[in-house]
Amino acid sequence: MKEFKDKVLVVTGGGRGIGRAIALEGARRGMNVVINDIDGPAARSVGEEARVLGVKAVVQEADISLYENIEALLRLTLDSFGQVDILVNNAGCAVSGPIWELPKQDIDWITELNFLSHIYGMKVFLPQMIRQGTPCAIVNTESTAGLMTSGKATMYHATKAAGVFASESVYIGLKEHGYPINVHCLVPAYVKTTIHLADLHRPERYAINDDPYYTSKEYYAGQVRSERGVMSGIEDYYVGECVFTAIEDEKFYIFTHPESQVVAQPRIQRLASGINPQT
C-alpha cells in the first residue's frame, strides 16, 4: 500500500502511546481514523488531534478484549466510512510476575487483551477486507518480548510470542489465497508509553482485589522494573513513522530497535541446537 489519503485506519488502544502515534501518523497522511480505547477521554482527545490535522475521526470507548466490542467496532467503522483499509491491533497490557504467584484473573486479562483481542480483530475484520478486494493491511503490535524470554514476565512473553506466530500464520494464509492483504508484526523494545500504568485501566471484571499478590514485594518490584524500562525507551512518534514505512515497503516484521534482532538470534540458535534455556 502506497497511498493513504482518504482511506480508513482503525486503531485499538489508540488513546495513548503507540496506538496514538500510529493514529496520528495515519491522520497526517490523510487517513480518516477510528480510535478505540477503554479510556474514553483519552480516545476522544486523540480524535480531536486527528481532526485538527484535517481528517474525520470517530471514537469507540470499549474494552476491546470482548468479542462483541470488536464486532461493534467494525460496525462503527462501516457505518461511518463504508470501508476499512488498515486495522491496527494495538491494545495491550503488561503484567509481571512468576506464574506460580500471578492471580488467575491476571492470566486471563493479559491473554484476552494481548492475544485474543488481536485474534478476534483479524477474525472480525478480515472478511470485510476480503469482500472489498482492495489492498489492505493489518498491523499487530507485539513486542521484542515475543522474540526472546526471561524469567520475570511469563504471561507477557507468552502472549507476545503467540501474537508473533499467529501473525506469521495469517500472513502466509492470506498469501496462499492470493488476497491483496498484508499482515505486519510490530516488535518494538522499550517505548515511552504508559503501559506500566495498565492497572489504571483494568476492566471492572479484573479489578485489583484482596489477592495477596497485589501487596507482595514481587508485584511492586514488577511495577518498578516496568516503569524503568518504559522510561528508558524511544519516543512513541517514531514507532508511528516506522509502521507506515513498513506498510509502504510491505515488510512483515517492523523493527523499531536494532537490538531486537540481536537479542532474538541467541534464542533461535539455542533452539536449533537443542540447548536448554539460559538464565
Side-chain angles (χ1 to χ4, degrees):
M1 186 182 298
K2 304 291 186 183
E3 298 296 328
F4 301 99
K5 185 174 175 55
D6 297 325
K7 292 187 177 179
V8 179
L9 168 66
V10 180
V11 184
T12 71
R16 54 174 49 81
I18 290 173
R20 173 181 175 273
I22 295 172
L24 294 181
E25 183 63 27
R28 291 186 191 98
R29 293 167 182 254
M31 298 192 77
N32 297 315
V33 295
V34 182
I35 302 159
N36 153 271
D37 205 285
I38 197 170
D39 183 344
R44 288 188 285 274
S45 176
V46 177
E48 287 300 321
E49 291 182 88
R51 294 183 193 104
V52 168
L53 294 170
V55 301
K56 298 176 182 177
V58 295
V59 171
Q60 181 204 49
E61 178 181 353
D63 172 7
I64 206 63
S65 69
L66 298 175
Y67 190 83
E68 58 266 30
N69 289 340
I70 297 175
E71 292 178 310
L73 182 61
L74 176 60
R75 289 194 299 271
L76 173 64
T77 302
L78 297 181
D79 289 346
S80 301
F81 301 114
Q83 67 187 64
V84 56
D85 300 288
I86 299 176
L87 167 67
V88 181
N89 289 310
N90 170 76
C93 62
V95 178
S96 182
I99 201 68
W100 56 90
E101 293 183 19
L102 203 63
K104 178 183 179 297
Q105 69 166 16
D106 282 12
I107 295 172
D108 293 343
W109 178 38
I110 194 170
T111 301
E112 290 178 2
L113 188 57
N114 284 13
F115 180 57
L116 289 181
S117 78
H118 295 193
I119 295 294
Y120 294 159
M122 292 189 286
K123 164 68 176 173
V124 170
F125 276 76
L126 273 171
Q128 173 62 31
M129 291 180 170
I130 291 168
R131 283 192 294 271
Q132 287 174 191
T134 56
C136 294
I138 291 177
V139 178
N140 292 324
T141 300
E142 305 308 337
S143 173
T144 297
L147 306 176
M148 47 80 70
T149 54
S150 72
K152 297 296 186 183
T154 298
M155 288 308 303
Y156 194 71
H157 287 294
T159 54
K160 291 303 184 179
V164 170
F165 280 95
S167 299
E168 290 179 353
S169 178
V170 175
Y171 173 89
I172 293 169
L174 291 169
K175 295 301 180 186
E176 289 175 343
H177 283 81
Y179 295 131
I181 304 167
N182 273 320
V183 176
H184 307 269
C185 189
L186 175 60
V187 285
Y190 284 122
V191 180
K192 288 181 180 175
T193 66
T194 57
I195 193 168
H196 60 292
L197 302 176
D199 278 346
L200 298 177
H201 307 290
R202 284 173 174 261
E204 185 176 348
R205 68 187 187 281
Y206 293 134
I208 290 178
N209 54 31
D210 59 0
D211 190 294
Y213 180 72
Y214 299 121
T215 56
S216 69
K217 290 182 179 180
E218 178 56 41
Y219 173 73
Y220 290 115
Q223 290 187 317
V224 170
R225 288 194 302 268
S226 182
E227 182 176 5
R228 286 176 178 170
V230 166
M231 290 299 101
S232 72
I234 63 173
E235 299 296 332
D236 55 16
Y237 73 84
Y238 176 69
V239 181
E241 295 173 356
C242 289
V243 165
F244 277 87
T245 298
I247 292 173
E248 290 174 326
D249 295 342
E250 298 186 357
K251 295 288 189 181
F252 175 82
Y253 291 108
I254 307 175
F255 288 106
T256 57
H257 298 65
E259 59 266 32
S260 296
Q261 293 164 278
V262 175
V263 299
Q265 290 172 355
R267 179 183 177 277
I268 295 170
Q269 291 167 352
R270 288 196 301 271
L271 187 153
S273 301
I275 299 173
N276 290 354
Q278 303 295 301
T279 59

